[in-house]
Amino acid sequence: MDAATITTPAVLILLGPPGAGKGTQARMLEDKFGLVQLSTGDLLRAAVAAETDAGKAAKAVMEAGDLVSDDIVIAILRDRLGEPDCAKGVILDGFPRTTVQAEALDGLLSETGQKINAAISLEVEDGEMVIRISGRYTCAGCGEGFHDTFKVPVVKGKCDKCGSTEFKRRADDNAETVASRLAAYHAQTAPLITYYQDHGVLKGLNAMGNIDDIAGNLERIVSDAMN
């Protein structure tokens, strides 16, 4: 069955630590399958800007300096899933983060007649991720990305793209901070891995190779999940 013939919009979840490439892969899936990537942050900002009922509730909570509740996030997601551009399906990135949120999401999808087609875990090695993230830096002039090991400028100290000699690194892109972020991710996500494994929708994907190879393998998983 071709993805275009799907009558019930697909719901895919991307799981993976910081730097695993979720955003890059999600954009490729959007282009390939006509899906829409939905992240919690983008959903909240859009709902607040649109002044929906849920958006107004979220704005009040955020202005008070509090965390937006799961009920509000689910209400915003419910509104978003009903919009025309989500007719073929969505990719959830960054939600759910807990099993409580996963259960709430299941409840929402049961209302709409949808289901989780696949929860795809982008699997990486922590040691390699520390090297990958902590070595990143960008050109201060044009934003071109570089890496201490994997992508150094052709001419040392000079941007390949614009010729600038000024570079910058994110303050949290250091080995200690990255290791801490990875540990927090694993602690937070481990229950979700078990949850979706128990529900028979978990798919693991080695995310340490070439981007195009990873994309090809991911596309096959998604195509199978949508059929």
Side-chain angles (χ1 to χ4, degrees):
M1 183 186 298
D2 185 84
T5 65
I6 295 292
T7 54
T8 302
V11 180
L12 305 167
I13 296 172
L14 279 187
L15 302 171
K22 297 189 298 298
T24 298
Q25 295 298 336
R27 287 189 290 274
M28 291 182 179
L29 292 176
E30 285 184 310
D31 293 339
K32 178 73 175 182
F33 295 97
L35 304 172
V36 176
Q37 179 189 13
L38 301 179
S39 70
T40 306
D42 290 343
L43 285 171
L44 287 172
R45 285 187 287 273
V48 169
E51 297 186 334
T52 64
D53 289 342
K56 291 176 182 177
K59 182 179 181 180
V61 171
M62 290 187 289
E63 288 182 342
D66 297 322
L67 293 175
V68 178
S69 70
D70 291 347
D71 287 344
I72 293 176
V73 174
I74 286 292
I76 290 173
L77 182 56
R78 178 184 289 108
D79 292 342
R80 186 69 180 88
L81 290 174
E83 295 182 15
D85 64 334
C86 294
K88 289 187 178 180
V90 298
I91 308 162
L92 298 180
D93 178 5
F95 186 88
R97 291 185 183 275
T98 66
T99 53
V100 171
Q101 291 178 346
E103 290 167 352
L105 176 60
D106 286 343
L108 166 60
L109 296 179
S110 69
E111 296 174 16
T112 62
Q114 293 169 271
K115 64 178 182 180
I116 303 297
N117 294 69
I120 306 165
S121 175
L122 302 185
E123 299 169 351
V124 300
E125 299 171 6
D126 282 7
E128 187 66 26
M129 288 303 298
V130 171
I131 294 172
R132 182 189 293 185
I133 298 175
S134 62
R136 300 186 302 195
Y137 61 98
T138 58
C139 171
C142 67
E144 180 73 2
F146 294 93
H147 193 278
D148 293 331
T149 303
F150 306 121
K151 186 184 176 184
V152 297
V154 174
V155 177
K156 185 177 180 180
K158 186 176 181 180
C159 176
D160 299 343
K161 190 172 182 180
C162 74
S164 172
T165 57
E166 298 293 326
F167 298 90
K168 59 183 179 180
R169 296 177 188 267
R170 282 180 44 172
D172 59 350
D173 277 357
N174 60 75
E176 184 178 348
T177 302
V178 173
S180 177
R181 286 160 60 194
L182 288 170
Y185 168 79
H186 291 307
Q188 182 183 66
T189 307
L192 277 180
I193 297 292
T194 301
Y195 182 89
Y196 286 118
Q197 193 168 41
D198 290 345
H199 283 69
V201 295
L202 182 71
K203 306 293 181 182
L205 176 65
N206 184 337
M208 292 305 303
N210 176 275
I211 289 178
D212 291 334
D213 291 340
I214 296 168
N217 292 331
L218 183 55
E219 286 175 7
R220 283 188 284 275
I221 291 174
V222 171
S223 181
D224 289 343
M226 292 177 66
N227 287 339

